[in-house]
Amino acid sequence: MRLFAAHGLTLRVGYDFQQYKSLLETARPGHTIGVPFDPDQHDFSDGSAFWIVATDQQGAVVHTQTLRLLNVTGISLADHLTAHFTDFPPPSMALDLDKSNYRAGPGAQRMTGRIAYHGEFWIGGAPGQFRGSGVSTVLCRYGFWMAMQHWDPDHMFAFMLNTVAYKGLAARTGWMHSDPAALQWFPASGQPPIETVLSYLHRGDIEYLLDLPIAQPMMEPAAQAA
């Protein structure tokens, strides 16, 4: 928290997703809340989901992330996603669901039990203010820590666009494993498909990450060059 304060960030954790939806309308007017966290489609009154936002010194929202607990005890995450991958579409896009597909990788086939889904990860602010500063590493680790405090899940997973994952965001934010080519979304417009990676962590991985010392984030090479 001292590190976040040094960056002028104040973090809030909430459970009312109508409130989160309202925050998005102001902070990210071009972004539609993802289907997995849309309060018009899901009831989270049982504490199965929460959101985290960070505001800057002017009170503007400059970071979001959301987490949701899935109970897939008795089956694998691969089985669950094979049946329900359409519950995790990219936001604000018409899709051809007949062409879109999920490919079950070996990681998803090995996961079962209480599994946390991590989504809506976004960092805003002025160019170079937060993005490229290395603070994304600690923000994501904070989300992992909060998931452990709430649910102590057996595993965690997230879907990440190939274009983002291959630039190193998965490694920077702590995702230690991945199933490549997990989801392929075909836009209804006929544009090229959107490819995603399934990034994941086991409970031991999360505990390992949370045991690492937190240092002042270093500027990423691209940010230093800029």
Side-chain angles (χ1 to χ4, degrees), residues 15 17 36-49 68:
Y15 306 89
F17 276 82
F37 298 99
D38 188 345
D40 295 333
Q41 301 189 44
H42 304 286
D43 179 10
F44 297 126
S45 60
D46 59 354
S48 60
R68 176 183 172 186

Side-chain angles (χ1 to χ4, degrees), residues 151-168:
W151 306 310
D152 189 24
D154 300 300
H155 314 276
M156 291 184 67
F157 78 101
F159 289 115
M160 198 171 296
L161 296 176
N162 282 9
T163 53
V164 175
Y166 294 164
K167 288 180 180 178

Side-chain angles (χ1 to χ4, degrees), residues 6 23 27 38 41 51 56 65 145 191 218:
L23 289 170
D38 188 345
Q41 301 189 44
W51 48 262
D56 63 14
Q65 58 179 305
W145 180 75
Q191 293 178 315
M218 298 295 292

Side-chain angles (χ1 to χ4, degrees), residues 1-10 57:
M1 298 309 292
R2 287 194 299 270
L3 188 147
F4 293 143
H7 282 265
L9 295 173
T10 300
Q57 291 175 318

Side-chain angles (χ1 to χ4, degrees), residues 118 158-166 168-171 173 175 195-199:
H118 185 268
F159 289 115
M160 198 171 296
L161 296 176
N162 282 9
T163 53
V164 175
Y166 294 164
L169 182 66
T173 50
W175 293 99
E195 305 275 356
T196 70
V197 167
L198 186 148
S199 298

